Amino acid sequence: MKALRIFSFVAFLALGSAIAPQTASAFTYYVTLSDGTQYKFEASNVEEAINFFNHQKWTTNGMEAILSKRPNSGEIARQK
């Protein structure tokens, strides 16, 4: 009887973890200006992040803006 309870409990945990709701997570992207200012936004994929980056006016007075996946990492896109 005790083994049946343990088996039922383990089966319940396994079933619960198999059907747990899966949430889509957004990825965080960073825009770094040449003066050191950083902005952060979320996008569901790289294409969406590049599209958002290209349609925003990030720079003024000849500064550059760099889109990256992590702060101070390699650039994905650049805007002058």
Side-chain angles (χ1 to χ4, degrees):
M1 188 68 177
K2 186 174 182 177
L4 181 61
R5 267 193 268 165
I6 292 172
F7 177 77
S8 298
F9 180 71
V10 170
F12 174 76
L13 288 178
L15 182 63
S17 65
I19 60 171
Q22 302 294 323
T23 58
S25 64
F27 297 102
T28 303
Y29 294 89
Y30 296 86
V31 176
T32 305
L33 302 181
S34 57
D35 67 354
T37 307
Q38 283 191 335
Y39 298 97
K40 179 171 72 168
F41 67 93
E42 292 183 351
S44 59
N45 56 42
V46 175
E47 291 82 18
E48 184 179 311
I50 292 172
N51 190 30
F52 178 77
F53 176 75
N54 288 334
H55 286 93
Q56 297 296 317
K57 178 71 173 153
W58 298 102
T59 61
T60 57
N61 303 330
M63 288 194 302
E64 285 187 326
I66 297 173
L67 174 66
S68 61
K69 182 82 173 133
R70 293 182 188 88
N72 304 320
S73 69
E75 72 179 60
I76 297 172
R78 182 180 294 251
Q79 195 180 85
K80 292 184 180 187

